[in-house]
Amino acid sequence: MTRFLFLFAPSVLCCTLGRCATFVWHSGVFCALSLALPAAAQTAVDGAGIDTDSPWTLGVAAGYGRRDNPFVGSDDIKLNAIVDLAWYGERWFFDNGDIGFTLNQTEQFSANLLTTFDNERNYYSYLSNGSSGLDLSSLRELAIDKGFGMMGIAGGEGEDIEALDTEELEELIFKDQDTALPERDFAVNSGIELLYISRWGDLQAQLLTDVSGTHHGESAWLAYSYPWITRNGEFSLTLGMEWKSRDLVDYYYGVTRDEAIDGRPAYTGRAEINSVIRFSASRALSKRWRLVGVVEQEYLGNHIRNSPIIERGRVSTAFIGIYYKFL
């Protein structure tokens, strides 16, 4: 069975030993680059002294990468250094943040119990647009609608809207009103994962529910991945869909009545399906060194992108770098 690399960092996608190569951004902390090592390299100890029968996988990737943040006025997520850490026992495993137990496994099929983190919370760590969650352009329009800019034009008094930054505009418009979008908590999800590998490609399905009581929602992931191997490299194309329940979407993308302000109306999220297309590549430079890369497009469903705190309908991800394998 082809062995896939899983990377530990703010990015994402997956498959190792008994696990298939397709999941999408498990959490804001863990990532799998879904890059496979050629089966020919999987001897007990290879020429570079790497024990490929070891239950441990340890590697580091360094390079340049970026993931879009779809929230209004937020910073994109930079990906510069990624640690790949996994351990596989007879049944239990740890895979870059995922903890699992294998219920059944054959050469082509695997069923696992899985516990992992929800990835949605990570976006909130990169909000950079002031406490209101509104971008500079929206704040300027709101200030003009409230008459602050027009006062200066008509009477020669008032604020110069164009000269004010985000924080100053918020102070002008909202004064002492608390406009901050409250932080959302991380959720711990648990459920079942099914993997099937054949000559025609790999299938992965997951059904997870929130066991931490954060949002009480569920999610489901279904993906098809087709890998192809050359003498020195491996490539993979993945097509996937992720269903998110109403409770999950409303918690991370909704706006409650208490959070609603001018320019940010209350919004109730509904169940939605996101779609994903991803291409990853890996080329061997030596026994321990590899050139790795991945590009991905995630298309947000209508009930997510229609939220007043979301400004992008799709999330782009790209990474290219060098990977060094210790174990």
Side-chain angles (χ1 to χ4, degrees):
M1 182 180 294
T2 303
R3 183 176 185 178
F4 293 86
L5 303 181
F6 285 71
L7 307 181
F8 187 76
S11 76
V12 105
L13 155 100
C14 75
C15 212
T16 299
L17 291 177
R19 299 185 66 204
C20 178
T22 43
F23 191 50
V24 80
W25 300 84
H26 284 238
S27 73
V29 185
F30 309 110
C31 102
L33 204 51
S34 89
L35 303 173
L37 293 176
Q42 299 180 44
T43 56
V45 179
D46 67 16
I50 302 174
D51 182 3
T52 55
D53 282 345
S54 171
W56 289 95
T57 296
L58 176 60
V60 176
Y64 177 80
R66 183 179 294 269
R67 178 172 174 80
D68 290 342
N69 191 332
F71 278 71
V72 171
S74 59
D75 285 336
D76 291 337
I77 302 170
K78 295 180 180 180
L79 309 172
N80 299 121
I82 300 173
V83 177
D84 169 29
L85 177 63
W87 173 85
Y88 273 76
E90 186 173 341
R91 285 188 177 271
W92 288 97
F93 60 84
F94 171 85
D95 196 340
N96 292 284
D98 292 349
I99 299 175
F101 180 82
T102 301
L103 298 172
N104 182 50
Q105 181 173 327
T106 66
E107 289 189 1
Q108 287 188 296
F109 174 79
S110 178
N112 305 312
L113 294 178
L114 190 66
T115 298
T116 186
F117 286 96
D118 206 314
N119 68 302
E120 318 292 335
R121 164 60 181 77
N122 192 50
Y123 292 127
Y124 283 82
S125 299
Y126 294 85
L127 298 181
S128 65
N129 51 357
S131 62
S132 69
L134 301 178
D135 60 22
L136 188 59
S137 175
S138 297
L139 287 169
R140 285 172 177 167
E141 291 179 7
L142 188 57
I144 292 174
D145 289 342
K146 286 180 171 289
F148 293 110
M150 297 193 54
M151 259 173 55
I153 295 173
E157 299 178 355
E159 301 287 350
D160 182 0
I161 299 301
E162 295 295 325
L164 299 181
D165 62 19
T166 299
E167 186 174 339
E168 291 169 332
L169 281 169
E170 289 183 333
E171 177 65 23
L172 175 67
I173 298 168
F174 302 112
K175 300 191 185 315
D176 296 329
Q177 182 181 359
D178 183 8
T179 62
L181 185 65
E183 290 278 341
R184 302 304 196 250
D185 295 326
F186 282 105
V188 178
N189 297 329
S190 188
I192 190 167
E193 175 186 61
L194 302 177
L195 308 169
Y196 180 76
I197 297 178
S198 74
R199 60 182 295 185
W200 306 110
D202 306 337
L203 293 175
Q204 181 186 42
Q206 291 184 344
L207 180 60
L208 304 173
T209 186
D210 173 25
V211 295
S212 59
T214 300
H215 54 70
H216 306 285
E218 296 80 34
S219 63
W221 167 256
L222 179 64
Y224 167 79
S225 180
Y226 185 80
W228 61 98
I229 300 172
T230 65
R231 181 177 179 181
N232 294 316
E234 180 154 350
F235 308 88
S236 180
L237 178 65
T238 298
L239 303 175
M241 296 186 301
E242 186 178 18
W243 171 81
K244 302 175 188 289
S245 72
R246 176 189 179 279
D247 288 335
L248 188 157
V249 173
D250 190 43
Y251 181 75
Y252 286 112
Y253 301 100
V255 178
T256 68
R257 290 183 179 179
D258 291 338
E259 298 168 353
I261 57 174
D262 290 335
R264 190 179 71 200
Y267 182 81
T268 300
R270 297 168 58 185
E272 192 52 271
I273 296 177
N274 293 347
S275 57
V276 175
I277 181 170
R278 178 187 307 117
F279 177 77
S280 60
S282 170
R283 179 175 176 80
L285 302 177
S286 68
K287 293 292 185 179
R288 291 185 181 270
W289 293 92
R290 300 185 72 84
L291 178 65
V292 297
V294 61
V295 291
E296 175 189 285
Q297 289 284 351
E298 179 180 8
Y299 298 90
L300 305 181
N302 288 335
H303 296 132
I304 294 178
R305 67 170 178 255
N306 289 341
S307 169
I309 59 176
I310 296 298
E311 67 174 352
R312 299 179 183 178
R314 65 182 183 181
V315 177
S316 300
T317 303
F319 177 85
I320 186 168
I322 298 292
Y323 178 85
Y324 182 80
K325 181 177 177 65
F326 294 96
L327 295 174

